[in-house]
Amino acid sequence: MFGLGLNEILVIALIVLLLFGGKKIPELMNGLGKGVKSFKDGMNGDQKSEKDEGQQQGE
């Protein structure tokens, strides 16, 4: 994964833990998950609207 080994990933995780603290990390991950879900829903919505436009033009 991006040329990172286990040691590098552990160091990055430790730095994140030190910067944000143990209580803040679940909130950050929850926000990140909601953002990714919203992005995916937006992309799927664009694809659906393109399909709807194609069907309307074909009528």
Side-chain angles (χ1 to χ4, degrees):
M1 185 169 93
F2 303 113
L4 297 176
L6 182 61
N7 289 336
E8 289 86 1
I9 293 173
L10 289 175
V11 169
I12 292 170
L14 180 63
I15 291 171
V16 169
L17 181 63
L18 290 174
L19 288 176
F20 296 109
K23 293 182 180 179
K24 193 73 171 175
I25 290 176
E27 295 174 19
L28 291 171
M29 294 298 112
N30 190 14
L32 181 64
K34 286 181 181 179
V36 170
K37 184 179 184 307
S38 175
F39 179 76
K40 285 183 179 180
D41 289 344
M43 293 299 292
N44 289 337
D46 288 344
Q47 291 173 355
K48 288 179 184 176
S49 65
E50 289 174 4
K51 288 179 183 177
D52 291 342
E53 289 175 6
Q55 289 176 352
Q56 290 174 356
Q57 291 175 357
E59 290 179 1

